Amino acid sequence: MLQTISESTLTRIRLPAKDNPLIQTRVVNSIREVGKQAWNACFEDEVEDFDCLLAIEEAGIEGFAWRYVTVVENGTVIAALPAFITGYQLETTLEEGPVRRFIRRMRGFFPGFLTLKLACLGSPCTETGKPGFCANVPSERQPELLARLIAGLEKHADNNGCSLRGVKDIPEPCASAFAPVFTQSGFASIPGLPTACLDIDFDSIESYLGCLSSGTRKDMRRKLKSFDRIRIETRTDLADLMPRVMALYNETRSRSEWQFEALTAGYFAGILDRMSGKSFCTLYFANEKLLAANILVHNETTVIDKFFCMDGEEGRAYDLYYLSWFANLRYCIDHRVARYQSGQAYYENKLRLGSRLTANTMYFKHRNKGVQWLLRLVSPLFGVDEPPGGAS
């Protein structure tokens, strides 16, 4: 259980000047150095576990160096978070417009303009950056251990010339519970993209439709007729279809306002291979032409829609976004999965279809206090605007 801590409580849990020799903070370059059992013990019931992070590590995603920060006590990993180092372009979260175009023009003359070397807790390829704690760690110890994870990242950042430090997508209620830890460590916060989830508290598509507004229900019934024109195939190995899937992915990515990491064929293949039994890809064909692909990962309670890529023109003609939504709901119903997590962005449709939003918070800190003051001043420009309907 998480509990919100006060500033006065935080004062009592400050790290000692000399570290306890029985507890150490470690930063390693491969999750293999932590071990599957040790890592997963800190992330029980999380879908994006050791196997997911190993697939990401091995995917050959350009521009990222992977790190794993752990707190080890008496030889046992009791707290953990993935991390990464990259060159971060500060306009990444800006919407397309005059400011972003100006920055791109300036970067034509000065390639490093508004690009800082970033060391960040969290992963660019997972849904959130929720800290992991071993099950036997009491909640009152978690702030201290998070402070150690942050301190470990900062020391590693100093040693690797990273002027900017960050923490990516801490979800509620963690962000509220641990806010004093980040404040004491000198981090400022900006809103991140919220996560959309739908509770599967219905036992059929028909009962789900009954929960929607009359206008949405009528629209969805019309769109569902497109199922008659589409062939759906589920695979755990893309093999010969990988080139077409990557073409769909790259087209979809080019339409996105926010672009950070560029996924690879190795990522898609690795997720399906490493997460065997916990992942699959749903493929959508019209007249034997592949028009969309949907990568999903899951455990017994949650399905996460990792990426949906689609031919922009032909896919819309067949309402494939909506067909994939209903195909995923059918999977959840058939397998008694309680939660469908459809990820970040495109909130208007997700809210219309009954999803709720969970807020995520990002944190940043520059080692130069003057630059940190300036970044705090301009940070509202780089935060993500709240989507329609807000986030809890």
Side-chain angles (χ1 to χ4, degrees):
M1 290 287 291
L2 284 169
Q3 59 184 53
T4 303
I5 57 174
S6 65
E7 294 284 357
S8 58
T9 302
L10 188 61
T11 302
R12 296 196 297 271
I13 62 164
R14 281 181 179 165
L15 300 182
K18 274 196 167 182
D19 215 357
N20 181 342
L22 298 180
I23 183 167
Q24 298 177 322
T25 303
R26 299 175 183 171
V27 181
V28 297
N29 296 351
S30 173
I31 197 169
R32 293 181 184 275
E33 297 179 58
V34 181
K36 183 171 181 174
Q37 184 176 355
W39 186 271
N40 286 349
C42 293
F43 293 93
E44 288 186 354
D45 302 322
E46 291 291 330
V47 179
E48 296 173 308
D49 58 4
F50 176 95
D51 293 322
C52 180
L53 290 168
L54 182 57
I56 294 167
E57 179 185 316
E58 296 178 335
I61 299 174
E62 188 176 351
F64 291 85
W66 309 112
R67 300 291 185 267
Y68 307 87
V69 188
T70 60
V71 178
V72 181
E73 185 174 52
N74 297 323
T76 300
V77 176
I78 59 172
L81 263 174
F84 61 93
I85 294 175
T86 191
Y88 184 72
Q89 298 179 343
L90 292 182
E91 80 280 9
T92 296
T93 57
L94 283 178
E95 292 186 5
E96 190 60 45
V99 175
R100 196 166 188 174
R101 288 193 293 270
F102 169 76
I103 292 172
R104 280 201 296 262
R105 285 197 299 270
M106 290 297 294
R107 196 165 282 133
F109 298 100
F110 307 100
F113 182 65
L114 290 185
T115 300
L116 300 175
K117 191 172 183 182
L118 166 69
C120 186
L121 285 172
S123 169
C125 301
T126 60
E127 299 298 296
T128 72
K130 181 180 178 182
F133 302 101
C134 202
N136 60 3
V137 171
S139 59
E140 57 268 22
R141 282 202 68 191
Q142 292 181 6
E144 169 214 338
L145 297 179
L146 177 58
R148 288 182 181 273
L149 292 171
I150 293 171
L153 174 80
E154 292 221 66
K155 184 177 180 180
H156 191 75
D158 287 339
N159 293 339
N160 287 270
C162 300
S163 58
L164 184 64
R165 299 92 196 275
V167 185
K168 180 183 176 291
D169 289 340
I170 301 295
E172 288 296 345
C174 287
S176 295
F178 294 132
V181 179
F182 293 112
T183 299
Q184 179 176 303
S185 299
F187 283 77
S189 66
I190 55 175
L193 287 167
T195 300
C197 299
L198 179 67
D199 294 325
I200 311 300
D201 52 5
F202 42 85
D203 58 7
S204 68
I205 294 298
E206 192 60 34
S207 60
Y208 164 68
L209 288 168
C211 299
L212 305 178
S213 70
S214 59
T216 300
R217 183 165 56 249
K218 182 178 179 180
D219 186 31
M220 291 304 109
R221 289 192 191 282
R222 178 181 61 79
K223 286 178 167 53
L224 286 172
K225 294 178 182 178
S226 292
F227 270 120
D228 296 336
R229 301 183 290 159
I230 294 295
R231 179 171 69 84
I232 300 177
E233 183 180 337
T234 298
R235 286 197 183 189
T236 56
D237 181 0
L238 294 174
D240 54 312
L241 291 176
M242 185 64 78
R244 175 59 177 164
V245 170
M246 290 307 300
L248 292 172
Y249 165 73
N250 289 322
E251 181 191 339
T252 303
R253 184 174 184 269
S254 70
R255 298 194 299 265
S256 174
E257 287 186 356
W258 294 290
Q259 298 183 14
F260 193 24
E261 76 285 358
L263 301 179
T264 63
Y267 168 84
F268 292 109
I271 290 291
L272 294 175
D273 180 39
R274 290 286 179 193
M275 300 188 72
S276 178
K278 299 178 291 183
S279 65
F280 60 94
C281 181
T282 306
L283 304 167
Y284 297 83
F285 297 84
N287 300 318
E288 297 309 308
K289 181 180 180 181
L290 179 60
L291 296 183
N294 194 186
I295 297 282
L296 301 109
V297 296
H298 63 91
N299 60 14
E300 292 79 9
T301 61
T302 303
V303 167
I304 299 178
D305 188 337
K306 287 302 296 176
F307 206 91
F308 177 75
C309 48
M310 180 181 76
D311 182 301
E313 185 174 344
E314 293 189 66
R316 278 191 290 270
Y318 289 98
D319 296 312
L320 291 187
Y321 174 83
Y322 296 97
L323 297 195
S324 72
W325 181 275
F326 281 91
N328 294 341
L329 293 192
R330 283 175 177 168
Y331 177 91
C332 292
I333 293 168
D334 291 345
H335 293 82
R336 301 181 182 274
V337 174
R339 185 172 184 252
Y340 172 49
Q341 186 169 316
S342 55
Q344 299 174 321
Y346 307 111
Y347 298 109
E348 187 174 356
N349 283 330
K350 293 172 183 179
L351 290 170
R352 183 183 176 215
L353 293 169
S355 296
R356 56 184 171 82
L357 302 182
T358 300
N360 292 309
T361 302
M362 300 185 293
Y363 297 87
F364 67 90
K365 176 183 178 181
H366 197 282
R367 66 183 174 190
N368 181 294
K369 292 183 179 180
V371 176
Q372 175 71 355
W373 176 85
L374 180 61
L375 289 177
R376 282 177 180 267
L377 186 67
V378 301
S379 63
L381 293 174
F382 299 100
V384 178
D385 291 336
E386 187 174 339
S392 60

